[in-house]
Amino acid sequence: MGVLGVRPKEASKLLTPEQRLLLNAIANQAAIAIERASLAEQARQTELLQATEKLQTALLNSISHDLRTPLVSVTGALSSLAQGGPAMDAAIRQSLIATALEEAERMNRLVGNLLNMTRLEAGALQVVKQPGDVQDAIGTALEGLGERLDERQISVSVPENLPLVPMDFVLIVQVLANLIDNSLKYSPSGSPIDVHAYQTDGEICVQVSDRGMGIPADDLARIFDKFYRVQRPESITGTGLGLSISKGIVEAHHGRIWAEDRPGGGAALAFTLPLESA
C-alpha cells in the first residue's frame, strides 16, 4: 500500500526504543485503517457492479419484451399488406395500416423514453425556461395523446388568474403526457380523469387523478424508480420509465413530484413548479 518514512528533527539523534515501539503501533493502526478503507471501496465497487448488472438485465428484459411486441405487430401488418396486394378488401387494408401506425408510434415512444433517460443520467438535459401557461401545456399534452384518450372524459380545472410559470414548455408537456398516460393505463376504460392546477406558496401545483385501483402503500415511494411498475393482474405495457423521466424533468425545474391515493378511490400524481427560477 505504501511506505512510512521518519526523519528526526536532528539527524544525529535516532529514535529511542520506546519511540520505535510507538511508531510501530501507529504504523500498524494506519495500515489496518488503510486496509479497511480499501476493502470497503472494493465492496462498494462490487455492489455497484451488481447493481449495474441488475439494471442491464432489467433493461434488456424490458426492451426485448416491450419492443418485440409492437415490432411483431408492425411486421405482421406489413406482411399481410404485401401478400394481399390490390385484391385485398379496402377495410382490411385500412385496419392493417392503422395497426402498423399505432404500433410504430408505440415503439417511437419507448425509444424516446430510453433516450430521454440516457440524457437525464448523463446530465445532458438542457432546461430552457420561459414564462409559460400551464393550461396551454395541459392542452398540448392532451392533444399529443390523441387516440390514446380512447374517448375518456378528461376534466381540466385551471383558475383564470393562474400566473405564468418559468418552465421548459416542451419538457413539462412531456411530464403531463406521462402522468395522464399513466392514469389511462391504470384506470378502467371509460372512467374519468381529472387534471387540476392551482397556486400555492410560491409555486404552481398540477395534479392528475384517476378512478382506478389506487397505488399500494408499498409502491407509493417506488413508482418513480426506473423500470418499476405497479403489479396488476391485467397486462400493462411500457418500460416503467415514464414516471422516472418525469421526476428527473420536474427536479431539473427545482420542483417536486409525488404520488398519493385519491380520496374516494384511485390515484393522484402531482408535481410543483416554482414561480421564481432558483
Side-chain angles (χ1 to χ4, degrees), residues 144-254:
L145 288 168
E147 295 182 356
R148 275 184 285 168
L149 295 178
D150 193 25
E151 299 182 355
R152 288 287 192 101
Q153 178 186 348
I154 309 294
S155 174
V156 179
S157 174
V158 180
E160 292 184 0
N161 59 346
L162 199 68
L164 299 179
V165 188
M167 63 176 170
D168 189 310
F169 189 84
V170 174
L171 293 179
I172 294 303
V173 166
Q174 183 178 355
V175 171
L176 287 163
N178 287 341
L179 299 190
I180 296 171
D181 185 57
N182 189 81
S183 294
L184 293 173
K185 291 178 180 178
Y186 289 95
S187 60
S189 177
S191 62
I193 292 175
D194 300 327
V195 183
H196 176 47
Y198 58 92
Q199 181 177 355
T200 182
D201 297 334
E203 58 188 12
I204 298 296
C205 181
V206 182
Q207 184 181 69
V208 179
S209 307
D210 61 49
R211 308 296 197 281
M213 297 174 61
I215 304 172
D218 294 340
D219 295 319
L220 280 173
R222 301 184 60 193
I223 63 171
F224 294 101
D225 294 346
K226 287 181 298 184
F227 306 113
Y228 188 81
R229 288 185 290 186
V230 176
Q231 297 301 314
R232 288 285 186 263
E234 64 272 16
S235 176
I236 303 295
T237 61
T239 57
L241 286 175
L243 294 184
S244 180
I245 292 171
S246 299
K247 180 176 184 288
I249 292 175
V250 170
E251 290 181 347
H253 283 75
H254 305 287

Side-chain angles (χ1 to χ4, degrees), residues 54-70 103 105-118 120-121 148 174 178 181-182 185-186 222-231 235-246:
K54 288 182 180 179
L55 184 61
Q56 290 174 342
T57 301
L59 175 61
L60 290 174
N61 290 340
S62 179
I63 296 307
S64 61
H65 176 270
D66 291 312
L67 288 183
R68 186 183 294 116
T69 302
E103 295 299 325
E105 289 175 356
R106 179 179 162 193
M107 285 183 63
N108 185 55
R109 291 195 301 272
L110 292 173
V111 173
N113 278 339
L114 289 171
L115 293 176
N116 286 329
M117 179 53 68
T118 301
L120 279 171
E121 293 188 334
R148 275 184 285 168
Q174 183 178 355
N178 287 341
D181 185 57
N182 189 81
K185 291 178 180 178
Y186 289 95
R222 301 184 60 193
I223 63 171
F224 294 101
D225 294 346
K226 287 181 298 184
F227 306 113
Y228 188 81
R229 288 185 290 186
V230 176
Q231 297 301 314
S235 176
I236 303 295
T237 61
T239 57
L241 286 175
L243 294 184
S244 180
I245 292 171
S246 299

